[in-house]
């Protein structure tokens, strides 16, 4: 691998970008199927998606990995607003944990 740091940054940015996309695309189906997906839950979902996009762009900074971990915790906490956000939080927390594992293996 020519540039392992860039590869790891790409993994983190891609993970956060995918998370933002899934969060935004999940709003309407959750509203239709989930029932009580109110304004606070929609606002939290959009805010988390925006934060994920911003962090994806800041992966060159060392603190962005820690901020990404905090973002996963916030998504889990958003599960208090609607159960489906907790489900997405669990899924993306596991994906983020794998990305952190790959980062540790590659960069040492």
């Amino acid at each position: 691998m020519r540039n392992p740091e860039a590869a790891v940054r790409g993994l983190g940015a891609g993970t956060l970008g995918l998370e933002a996309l899934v969060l935004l695309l999940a709003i309407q189906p959750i509203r239709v199927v989930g029932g009580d997906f109110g304004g606070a839950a929609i606002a939290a979902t959009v805010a988390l998606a925006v934060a994920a996009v911003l962090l994806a762009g800041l992966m060159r900074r060392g603190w962005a990995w820690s901020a990404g971990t905090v973002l996963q915790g916030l998504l889990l906490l958003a599960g208090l607003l609607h159960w489906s956000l907790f489900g997405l939080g669990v899924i993306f927390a596991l994906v983020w944990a794998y990305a952190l594992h790959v980062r540790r293996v590659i960069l040492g």
Side-chain angles (χ1 to χ4, degrees), residues 76-95:
L76 287 168
L77 280 176
L80 296 172
L81 298 172
H82 196 270
W83 61 269
S84 60
L85 293 177
F86 180 77
L88 287 173
V90 169
I91 291 168
F92 279 106
L94 292 172
V95 171

Side-chain angles (χ1 to χ4, degrees), residues 58-73:
L58 293 171
M59 289 310 295
R60 288 181 183 242
R61 311 277 193 244
W63 54 265
W65 287 93
S66 299
T69 302
V70 170
L71 181 72
Q72 306 315 313

Side-chain angles (χ1 to χ4, degrees), residues 16-17 20 47-59 61 63-64 71:
L16 290 170
L48 289 168
V50 168
V53 168
L54 291 174
L55 282 175
L58 293 171
M59 289 310 295
R61 311 277 193 244
W63 54 265
L71 181 72

